[in-house]
Amino acid sequence: MNPLSPTFWLLLAIAALVAEFFTGSFYLLVVACALAVIGLVQLLGGPPAAALLAGSIAGLAGLALLWRVKRRRGARRAAIDDPDLGQPVEIVANRDGHGTVRYRGAEWQADFEPADLAAGTRGLIAGRDGNRLKIVSPTQGSTP
């Protein structure tokens, strides 16, 4: 089959689309769309160079869109999936904004905002950085 024919590119697009059904990653969907654009430009009579350029632009645009959607969805999922957010903790020690808190029967490393939260008082979990909890005063709510 001639790689300069529209049929070649459209068949590759279909093959990438079928492969996407088995992976579910959406990257092959972007590849399938880019290949389909190449085939369609050639089908409409465009020169091979213009078809490859259009396919490249479509692929880059698809990757940018996919990256943006995954980044936005990942941040939202991380916030929703953390059941500890907003939970009260007891401040055990605070040394210049860093210290320990008691939460669920264990002591955890913590960063405090504001830094002057006193030992023996309560705070709320506003986030985490690895295993280190981000603690705010109860009046601040769940925003750091």
Side-chain angles (χ1 to χ4, degrees), residues 29-107:
L29 182 62
V30 171
V31 170
C33 289
L35 291 169
V37 166
I38 294 171
L40 290 174
V41 169
Q42 284 192 333
L43 192 64
L44 295 173
L52 291 174
L53 180 64
S56 297
I57 291 171
L60 290 174
L63 284 176
L65 179 67
L66 183 61
W67 178 77
R68 187 174 179 189
V69 167
K70 282 193 170 209
R71 192 173 124 211
R72 188 177 298 160
R73 188 175 290 167
R76 192 174 350 156
R77 184 176 295 141
I80 292 172
D81 287 347
D82 193 349
D84 297 328
L85 292 180
Q87 295 297 315
V89 297
E90 178 187 344
I91 299 171
V92 176
N94 182 354
R95 292 170 298 283
D96 298 323
H98 307 287
T100 55
V101 296
R102 184 167 291 116
Y103 175 60
R104 292 191 285 167
E107 289 191 4

